[in-house]
Amino acid sequence: MANRIIFFHGGGSKEDYDADKKLVESLEDSLGAPYSIHYPFLPNDGSPDLGRRKQIKEAISDSEDGVILVAHSLGASMLLACLSEFNIERRIAGIFLIATPFWEGSEDWVAPFKLRQDFAETIDKNIPLFLYHCQDDEEVPFIQLANYQRELPWATFREIPSGGHQLNNDVHVVAKDILSLKLA
């Protein structure tokens, strides 16, 4: 039986989904046959958070215990929001977040994307949590990783020298960490 991964894309458009498909393909190539990646398209449903929290919760609920969660950019921040705001019924084997924005500011459009102030207290510390960020990311500044390092000190952080926001479409470093999990 294959190990199930759900990969949540960044952005809110079909173009963003298509761009992140290259990350999914890199992960598939690096992991091989024992892993099955589900890559749902999360359409903008018109709600302030684009529907991400609800869509992500539903995708996880539709999976089986032992699911591995991987997310990029907006998908990564919304996955954290979902995990910190909802009671998730599935056992999660690991969480892998790539180029995760830490939403700050008082603008009206930012509010739906922000994490609750107590988000870190509600994340299960027994689930392996990895965050990856390239130092040359021009879309989500590298400095935002420091916010997560402060809030989630038990997590593993991978600072990548170069690769931009899309890690040059090469996520072998993520695959290596997934392969290190001790799966039941």
Side-chain angles (χ1 to χ4, degrees):
M1 185 166 151
N3 296 301
R4 179 70 178 242
I5 296 172
I6 305 174
F7 192 111
F8 298 107
H9 64 87
S13 70
K14 181 73 165 85
E15 291 78 23
D16 297 318
Y17 175 83
D18 291 342
D20 281 1
K21 178 71 174 157
K22 294 175 184 170
L23 298 175
V24 173
E25 291 166 353
S26 171
L27 194 58
E28 287 173 331
D29 289 346
S30 296
L31 292 174
Y35 292 85
S36 168
I37 301 176
H38 175 56
Y39 183 48
F41 174 58
L42 307 176
N44 179 348
D45 75 354
S47 63
D49 76 345
L50 311 179
R52 289 304 182 268
R53 286 169 173 85
K54 180 181 174 204
Q55 293 166 339
I56 290 170
K57 181 180 184 284
E58 288 172 1
I60 297 169
S61 296
D62 289 345
S63 70
E64 296 181 8
D65 281 338
V67 67
I68 298 166
L69 304 175
V70 181
H72 178 244
S73 195
L74 175 64
S77 64
M78 292 294 90
L79 173 57
L80 266 182
C82 175
L83 294 174
S84 66
E85 294 172 13
F86 296 115
N87 182 26
I88 303 298
E89 299 291 326
R90 296 285 173 246
R91 184 178 53 79
I92 298 168
I95 304 165
F96 302 84
L97 307 174
I98 305 164
T100 311
F102 192 92
W103 301 97
E104 297 180 291
S106 58
E107 299 89 344
D108 289 341
W109 69 271
V110 174
F113 301 109
K114 284 184 174 181
L115 294 165
R116 297 183 339 193
Q117 284 188 328
D118 67 344
F119 85 96
E121 297 167 22
T122 61
I123 300 294
D124 186 341
K125 293 174 182 63
N126 295 312
I127 301 172
L129 174 60
F130 293 79
L131 286 92
Y132 308 83
H133 213 111
C134 289
Q135 293 173 353
D136 64 349
D137 188 332
E138 293 184 3
E139 289 186 45
V140 177
F142 179 73
I143 191 70
Q144 291 189 16
L145 184 64
N147 294 318
Y148 289 113
Q149 290 170 321
R150 183 180 60 255
E151 295 288 336
L152 305 167
W154 68 90
T156 301
F157 295 90
R158 305 280 189 232
E159 298 180 10
I160 303 166
S162 64
H165 190 61
Q166 295 291 127
L167 282 80
N168 288 330
N169 296 316
D170 178 1
V171 291
H172 74 277
V173 65
V174 178
K176 183 177 178 183
D177 287 331
I178 290 173
L179 291 169
S180 76
L181 293 178
K182 293 178 179 31
L183 301 175

